[in-house]
Amino acid sequence: MATSADPARRTDTPLPSTPASFPPSSLPSSPPSAPSGPSRRRVLGAATGTGLALAAGLPGTARAADLPPLGTYDVVVIGSGAAGMTAALTAAKQGLTCVVVEKAATFGGSAARSGAGIWIPNNPVILAAGVPDTPAKAASYLAAVVGPDVSADRRQAFLGQGPAMISFVMANSPLRFRWMEGYSDYYPELPGGLPGGRSIEPAQLDGNVLGAELARLNPPYLPVPSGMVVFSADYKWLALSAVSVRGAAVATECLARGTRAALLGQKPLTMGQSLAAGLRAGLLAAQVPVWLNTPFTELYTENGTTAGAVVTRNGTPGLVRARYGVIVGSGGFEHNAAMRARYQRRPIGTEWTVGAKENTGDGIRAGQQAGAAVDLMDDAWWGPAIPLPGEPYFCLAERTLPGGLLVNAAGARFVNEAAPYGDVVHIMYDKNASAPHIPAWLIVDQNYRNRYLFKDIAPTFVLPEAWYESGAAHKAWTLDALAQGIGVPAAALRATVNRFNSLARSGTDTDFHRGDSVYDHYYTDPAILPNSCLAPLWLAPYYAFKIVPGDLGTKGGLRTDARARVLRPDGSVIPGLYAAGNASAAVMGHSYAGAGSTIGPAMTFGYIAARDIAAAAGA
């Protein structure tokens, strides 16, 4: 690819219908030089106009045109997460020149930090594994999950193009994928739901494929234990490694993978690290520059069409022009306190999210300034979190394993603890309007602590003193003393635990139906009978963990159509402007179809956007 200030348009042959396999040996050792059931809530309207522009303090279009030129490309992509890198890779393979601009000093965004589950119905990986999916099943299921919040054409665009996107990524990067066998769709009892799941995750990748660029990969949210190679699907069993033969076997296999990789001189990557590294390797092979430390501040419009972006490169504002389109994949606004306070229910803040710290809504605000509408701004990819010192911990297995229950400030249960994590937080907010449910408390006993991994703390091991000092964890030898420590009525907590224990012994939760859904049993202990979700609390001491509304990122953003084009409030298209990932309003609406419902659509609509630009450009 040309690297002059104004690179010539590429003349590569457009992507064939069956692309050739990705050749790992073609990767350069370093990057090329860059050219300088869900609850429903009312959707919030767009915030546009002069007031927003003045508040943002951004230069106007005329002034932007006078900024130093940073080059002209066919496509400019904002953000190097899963959406942005998939879009850039697609554009390059369609014969278009492309640049990715990234605010952070690292690439990968929130995707690199994640477990990297990818929810794509009918993808070639699950079909090859024998998963009994069909387009009709997927369409029925997604319609039932999402409801009227998202148009049928957007849902169909995702379902129709998702499998092709996975095939494309495998053909044009070193990425391969594994079925997350048994990780149920989140509502498998709905029409078209699959109890065995549709989610996939990246296979193991050798980080050496990136050469020196590996040092610029955004680190994971939770590091893999030293010497082990762990997949997302392994964590279900690692939590049980002290009490389950299969759990112990999985732990042994994780260690064996790590040993094999070390003997081969590999740098093994899995989960989000594998996904981000694999996409970046594809961009290196396609000679797509990724400009790190390059914040984006404003869209540039010329003759009514989005024609570039104002960015700060090497400390100086400049204009990078786009011949055919700009794709915004800059993430959500989870670390923007003002936006969260404006759009979302309280209590809310930036301290409970595990999204990339650079996600402050830059792309969304720039789109609004350009006249875009926004949707779903009140929502996020929620999940119960423990506000540990330094960083919150997003709970998955911990609240689902038998022997634990959630209570509110009155000491009462209020939810099926094993329900999809987004639903649990929606219920926390809904109920908090009339009685305190934030924070809630996860109550467990020593039997629970003796059996199960908690975060990265092995069974029987003492919890860090800092957890207690911060108030995130409490410990007491009686339920009454525990209640006093967390400020809930002792009699109520005792009564709640007694009631829960009786339900656990019977195996049927008639109060909140924990265990009724196949999904409820994913992060549980199959040795516990008659219901793997339920076990009584009986062994002192008792523990309480503070639970707050955490999230993986915000869900609201720029309103887009089935072609990922950004829309104005009146439904008209803003020419040349596209969005994907958490910078756009989620195709999942207020719900969450299955593991990977963030990344799957992000990559798919990045792919759709780039192909739409290429089609319009005649590439």
Side-chain angles (χ1 to χ4, degrees):
M1 176 176 180
T3 56
S4 64
D6 187 3
R9 178 157 171 237
R10 293 181 58 170
T11 57
D12 303 19
T13 302
L15 183 68
S17 57
T18 306
S21 297
F22 178 82
S25 61
S26 68
L27 285 172
S29 60
S30 60
S33 58
S36 19
S39 53
R40 315 291 180 193
R41 282 174 292 281
R42 185 176 302 277
V43 171
L44 294 173
T48 58
T50 305
L52 180 62
L54 293 175
L58 300 175
T61 296
R63 179 180 163 193
D66 295 331
L67 290 172
L70 297 176
T72 301
Y73 295 83
D74 293 334
V75 181
V76 174
V77 175
I78 312 298
S80 66
M85 287 198 287
T86 303
L89 183 62
T90 306
K93 291 300 179 177
Q94 293 289 292
L96 303 175
T97 59
C98 184
V99 65
V100 178
V101 296
E102 169 57 54
K103 176 182 184 179
T106 56
F107 67 88
S110 291
R113 290 170 54 79
S114 74
I118 300 172
W119 195 82
I120 300 281
N122 294 293
N123 73 70
V125 178
I126 64 172
L127 294 182
V131 175
D133 203 3
T134 67
K137 286 181 182 178
S140 295
Y141 177 67
L142 191 59
V145 169
V146 174
D149 291 331
V150 177
S151 65
D153 61 339
R154 283 191 69 214
R155 298 197 308 266
Q156 186 51 49
F158 163 61
L159 295 174
Q161 294 299 311
M165 180 276 294
I166 292 294
S167 295
F168 167 82
V169 166
M170 289 194 293
N172 292 285
S173 80
L175 279 168
R176 299 296 178 265
F177 299 96
R178 303 157 38 109
W179 176 37
M180 299 175 73
E181 184 176 0
Y183 203 152
S184 167
D185 284 342
Y186 286 176
Y187 308 95
E189 291 76 29
L190 289 179
L194 294 186
R198 294 174 160 103
S199 302
I200 60 175
E201 64 172 311
Q204 182 177 330
L205 180 71
D206 182 5
N208 287 318
V209 72
L210 282 179
E213 188 67 4
L214 180 62
R216 289 178 276 275
L217 173 61
N218 199 22
Y221 157 57
L222 287 178
V224 171
S226 179
M228 301 181 80
V229 174
V230 181
F231 296 104
S232 277
D234 293 332
Y235 278 105
K236 163 188 172 69
W237 295 107
L238 291 179
L240 306 174
S241 57
V243 294
S244 162
V245 171
R246 184 170 178 183
V250 168
T252 301
E253 174 57 23
C254 290
L255 185 59
R257 291 186 204 123
T259 301
R260 285 194 297 269
L263 291 174
L264 293 171
Q266 297 178 347
K267 297 176 180 177
L269 304 174
T270 57
M271 298 181 281
Q273 297 287 281
S274 175
L275 178 64
L279 289 171
R280 184 70 184 92
L283 294 183
L284 283 170
Q287 296 186 300
V288 175
V290 176
W291 297 351
L292 302 179
N293 296 300
T294 306
F296 158 69
T297 54
E298 184 190 8
L299 293 164
Y300 172 65
T301 300
E302 198 171 76
N303 299 322
T305 297
T306 306
V310 175
V311 301
T312 300
R313 184 146 167 80
N314 299 322
T316 303
L319 174 63
V320 55
R321 292 176 180 265
R323 293 188 183 93
Y324 301 120
V326 174
I327 303 173
V328 178
S330 53
F333 60 93
E334 55 265 28
H335 285 283
N336 186 316
M339 290 182 73
R340 299 206 81 151
R342 175 180 182 182
Y343 291 111
Q344 299 186 325
R345 291 189 283 182
R346 301 190 184 194
I348 195 63
T350 61
E351 67 274 16
W352 297 336
T353 182
V354 299
K357 64 182 184 300
E358 292 82 10
N359 291 348
T360 54
D362 304 342
I364 298 171
R365 289 184 289 115
Q368 288 178 293
Q369 184 193 11
V374 292
D375 288 330
L376 304 176
M377 297 291 281
D378 58 331
D379 216 340
W381 302 100
W382 301 114
I386 303 173
L388 298 177
E391 187 172 48
Y393 175 64
F394 194 94
C395 288
L396 290 174
E398 291 80 5
R399 66 186 171 83
T400 302
L401 287 163
L405 66 153
L406 287 172
V407 301
N408 60 16
R413 277 185 85 203
F414 61 93
V415 71
N416 168 10
E417 295 87 353
Y421 35 92
D423 288 357
V424 174
V425 172
H426 282 148
I427 290 169
M428 289 173 68
Y429 272 120
D430 290 345
K431 291 182 176 292
N432 195 63
S434 56
H437 283 71
I438 300 173
W441 297 94
L442 173 62
I443 311 297
V444 305
D445 70 346
Q446 189 61 45
N447 180 54
Y448 174 106
R449 283 294 301 121
N450 289 344
R451 295 178 64 84
Y452 308 125
L453 186 75
F454 196 98
K455 188 178 180 283
D456 54 358
I457 310 298
T460 75
F461 279 50
V462 297
L463 302 175
E465 192 61 33
W467 291 18
Y468 298 112
E469 293 172 352
S470 70
H474 295 259
K475 176 182 176 181
W477 286 92
T478 67
L479 287 173
D480 284 11
L482 188 70
Q484 182 178 4
I486 63 177
V488 307
L493 182 60
R494 266 188 284 111
T496 296
V497 171
N498 288 338
R499 170 67 178 169
F500 180 82
N501 286 351
S502 68
L503 297 174
R505 293 186 185 101
S506 73
T508 303
D509 179 12
T510 55
D511 291 348
F512 294 99
H513 307 287
R514 180 170 167 179
D516 286 6
S517 173
V518 172
Y519 171 77
D520 294 356
H521 293 268
Y522 184 71
Y523 285 112
T524 56
D525 184 349
I528 300 299
L529 300 172
N531 185 336
S532 69
C533 295
L534 299 172
L537 286 68
W538 57 272
L539 182 62
Y542 299 94
Y543 300 82
F545 300 94
K546 183 182 289 185
I547 299 294
V548 297
D551 66 69
L552 304 171
T554 49
K555 183 181 277 193
L558 303 176
R559 184 184 298 168
T560 56
D561 65 8
R563 292 159 59 182
R565 300 178 301 177
V566 176
L567 305 177
R568 300 184 181 93
D570 64 3
S572 62
V573 172
I574 298 178
L577 184 59
Y578 295 75
N582 287 352
S584 64
V587 74
M588 293 292 158
H590 285 297
S591 195
Y592 211 134
S597 290
T598 307
I599 293 177
M603 295 175 70
T604 300
F605 281 104
Y607 171 80
I608 288 171
R611 289 180 64 87
D612 196 73
I613 292 173

